[in-house]
Amino acid sequence: MTFETLARVAPEQLQEVVEVPPDTPVLKGDTGFRATRGEMLLHAATHAVYHRSQIRHGLTRLGVSIPEPDYIFVMTETGRA
């Protein structure tokens, strides 16, 4: 989802409750859950950060040099900030 798409989402749409059934493949166990669309978007963003962190940690442990991921630090290091 792009920022342009998110900008068109009305606040009341973010409050709509979505029911995720128990047989959803990504769920562990056999219980479903209910959450607002806003909560689901927040989960997607924070979960993506979690996996990026896992990958960065794994590569660092393997001795791979990882560039700085934070944009503001990249700008500072390249003299563009």
Side-chain angles (χ1 to χ4, degrees):
M1 194 173 278
T2 65
F3 289 117
E4 292 81 17
T5 302
L6 286 173
R8 290 192 304 266
V9 176
E12 56 272 8
Q13 289 176 295
L14 294 175
Q15 295 304 314
E16 290 176 11
V17 175
V18 177
E19 184 126 6
V20 180
D23 58 348
T24 302
V26 297
L27 295 178
K28 296 180 176 122
D30 51 13
T31 59
F33 68 93
R34 294 166 44 99
T36 65
R37 291 185 192 283
E39 290 169 330
M40 294 179 96
L41 286 170
L42 178 61
H43 166 73
T46 59
H47 196 71
V49 171
Y50 169 74
H51 284 299
R52 284 197 309 269
S53 177
Q54 284 182 311
I55 292 166
R56 184 178 176 85
H57 177 72
L59 289 172
T60 300
R61 289 191 61 184
L62 291 171
V64 177
S65 177
I66 306 293
E68 178 58 56
D70 293 316
Y71 183 71
I72 192 68
F73 294 122
V74 171
M75 295 297 287
T76 302
E77 289 172 5
T78 58
R80 294 184 288 166

